Amino acid sequence: MLKKIRKAAVAVSFLCMLCAVPAQAATLDHAEVYGFEQLDEETKFRILTALEQVPQEVLNLQKAKGGSIVFKNQVMDENGNAVSGLYWLSGPDANDIWVKVGETDPYSSTYHSEGRTLAHELGHFIHGIWKPSMTDEDINTLNERYQYWSQHTDSCQDADETFATLYSGYVCGDRMTESEQRLFERAEQYMIDLYKRLPVVNGKVVYGPSAA
């Protein structure tokens, strides 16, 4: 039996500050979302504030691939360890994102950890879609940043985690190098362009095997 593969979000201790809001900032209005309405207004605000830094097309693509976003009081990894978030790569919950609520990020006065965790898991989703189409320059940039950040934080244990960790920092306005900034700008633009190319069947966006 195939084992379900999941990515766990890890705590990221980067300084967070506000950055410019993209033209089509994401909301949860059209996403497949569970558990959000039960959250208190302050928690909702913090999550939505983080999402303002993400293009709407990213969430639209996740929904088109059958994914949902679930906010839970407790999230456990495959080994039974409590984690802040999971991204499901395969299995019946493929493309789902689970985010633990109610855990404050002591390193940020602007963003709650739920927002940063959601951005981290969206980073896994983006990287998974973009990876087959990354240029040599993109791959080299990510590998170079992995080699650097793996010496400074346990969050960057491989290239996949490095992308997700740095993307959460990009969303939250952390200080970044020019090469990191350009990497995520290209990744987001790829997602935007990809979503615009998807066919619409009976009023529903369809993501087929050849979409990417």
Side-chain angles (χ1 to χ4, degrees):
M1 183 174 63
L2 292 176
K3 192 174 187 179
K4 301 183 185 73
I5 303 173
R6 294 169 283 182
K7 288 287 186 178
V10 289
V12 185
S13 304
F14 292 123
L15 178 64
C16 199
M17 57 187 178
L18 285 174
C19 61
V21 176
Q24 297 180 329
T27 70
L28 294 174
D29 293 346
H30 303 293
E32 195 74 22
V33 182
Y34 300 94
F36 185 76
E37 291 304 320
Q38 286 69 48
L39 303 178
D40 61 78
E41 293 304 313
E42 184 178 352
T43 302
K44 289 180 182 178
F45 175 78
R46 289 188 292 244
I47 291 169
L48 295 176
T49 298
L51 276 179
E52 287 179 354
Q53 317 306 321
V54 178
Q56 181 64 49
E57 289 82 357
V58 173
L59 268 65
N60 291 349
L61 270 173
Q62 193 234 3
K63 180 180 179 180
K65 284 180 66 65
S68 61
I69 299 173
V70 184
F71 297 96
K72 302 163 66 76
N73 290 328
Q74 187 175 48
V75 176
M76 310 294 287
D77 68 12
E78 57 194 4
N79 297 316
N81 300 314
V83 293
S84 56
L86 292 172
Y87 169 58
W88 293 70
L89 290 175
S90 63
D93 297 305
N95 298 301
D96 281 4
I97 289 173
W98 292 2
V99 176
K100 178 183 177 182
V101 294
E103 182 177 310
T104 303
D105 182 350
Y107 300 100
S108 171
S109 60
T110 305
Y111 287 92
H112 195 259
S113 64
E114 292 113 343
R116 189 176 282 270
T117 296
L118 178 55
H120 181 106
E121 304 307 335
L122 286 171
H124 281 307
F125 172 72
I126 293 170
H127 188 217
I129 298 292
W130 188 40
K131 188 186 296 186
S133 300
M134 291 174 70
T135 65
D136 290 342
E137 178 185 359
D138 297 325
I139 294 171
N140 291 337
T141 296
L142 179 57
N143 287 337
E144 187 274 329
R145 300 322 294 160
Y146 159 59
Q147 293 297 329
Y148 173 81
W149 283 111
S150 64
Q151 304 300 314
H152 295 81
T153 173
D154 292 338
S155 302
C156 298
Q157 56 192 267
D158 55 34
D160 290 338
E161 287 296 337
T162 299
F163 187 98
T165 297
L166 293 183
Y167 183 72
S168 69
Y170 172 78
V171 167
C172 288
D174 291 349
R175 202 180 306 275
M176 312 208 87
T177 67
E178 185 177 352
S179 64
E180 291 168 347
Q181 182 87 15
R182 290 199 308 266
L183 180 72
F184 297 120
E185 289 172 354
R186 289 194 293 270
E188 288 187 338
Q189 190 61 52
Y190 180 85
M191 302 293 280
I192 291 171
D193 294 341
L194 174 60
Y195 182 75
K196 290 178 178 178
R197 295 198 304 268
L198 295 182
V200 178
V201 179
N202 297 325
K204 182 178 180 180
V205 176
V206 178
Y207 190 103
S210 61

